[in-house]
Amino acid sequence: MVFTLLGSMGSYAASMASYPKGWENWPIVKESMNLPADTVLPADTSLFIQESVRAYSWINEGRGSPLTIRVNPEKLDQYKTHGPYTDGPTVVAVSEIQGIVWVTEHIGGMAIYGSYDRNGNDNTAMHPSLEPQFCENCHTTYKDICKNGTCAEPVLDTYKDK
C-alpha cells in the first residue's frame, strides 16, 4: 500500500550532470535574465525564448533574476563553434538571485543536464523545469538555437570582431 501511494505521487529525476567544482572561476561568456512572469514578449519572439520565459517564470517569486553563463575554460574554443564537445562539464547558467546552477556536461558527445544550488546540492525537486529530461527536451527541440546541447544566439555577441 505504501509503495503504491508513493509511486502515484510522482518523483523527480536527480541531476545527471555532475556539479563542477570551481565553476565560479570560469569565464563569463554571456549575461542575460530569467524574465519576470508578467513579461509581455513581442509577437515575433522565438519559440525558444517564449518557452524559457514560461518555464522559468516562477524564479524569484515571478520577479525574474539576472542569469550568468560561464564556460569551462578548457572548452571555450569548442563553445565558440557550438561543439563538438569533449567529455566533462561544459557550461553553467546561474540564476543569480535564486542561486540555481544549471549544468550542461558532455559524455561521449552527448549532452546531459543537472541542477544544483551554489553549494552543490541537487535541487531538481524544487520544480519540474529543473529535471534533466525537461532540459533535454528543450535543448533538442530548438535545434536552430541549441547545438550539441548548448543554447545561444547563432552569432554570439561576446565573440564578434571589433
Side-chain angles (χ1 to χ4, degrees):
M1 176 89 149
V2 172
F3 176 74
T4 305
L5 177 61
L6 291 176
S8 68
M9 292 173 64
S11 64
Y12 291 94
S15 292
M16 294 175 66
S18 57
Y19 180 80
K21 295 202 185 291
W23 63 263
E24 302 91 340
N25 298 314
W26 291 2
I28 296 171
V29 296
K30 185 175 183 182
E31 293 178 328
S32 187
M33 286 285 297
N34 290 121
L35 295 174
D38 61 357
T39 298
V40 177
L41 297 169
D44 63 347
T45 301
S46 74
L47 291 175
F48 175 77
I49 296 300
Q50 291 177 45
E51 176 69 12
S52 296
V53 170
R54 184 194 64 75
Y56 301 112
S57 63
W58 60 272
I59 289 178
N60 189 26
E61 298 177 357
R63 294 188 300 262
S65 172
L67 184 69
T68 304
I69 312 299
R70 295 176 177 268
V71 174
N72 183 333
E74 297 172 8
K75 297 187 177 189
L76 269 174
D77 288 336
Q78 296 168 32
Y79 183 78
K80 290 177 188 179
T81 60
H82 290 287
Y85 293 102
T86 54
D87 288 356
T90 304
V91 177
V92 296
V94 183
S95 180
E96 296 296 342
I97 293 174
Q98 192 80 26
I100 298 167
V101 180
W102 287 276
V103 179
T104 301
E105 180 174 1
H106 286 82
I107 297 178
M110 186 170 110
I112 59 174
Y113 306 96
S115 176
Y116 298 89
D117 66 18
R118 290 180 181 273
N119 296 317
N121 301 304
D122 190 302
N123 65 4
T124 305
M126 182 186 293
H127 194 271
S129 65
L130 299 179
E131 291 189 50
Q133 186 62 41
F134 185 92
C135 299
E136 182 180 345
N137 286 341
C138 199
H139 285 231
T140 57
T141 298
Y142 301 102
K143 293 183 185 304
D144 57 328
I145 294 172
C146 304
K147 295 174 176 72
N148 290 315
T150 59
C151 304
E153 297 172 15
V155 178
L156 298 173
D157 291 341
T158 306
Y159 301 109
K160 277 187 179 176
D161 292 330
K162 294 182 180 182

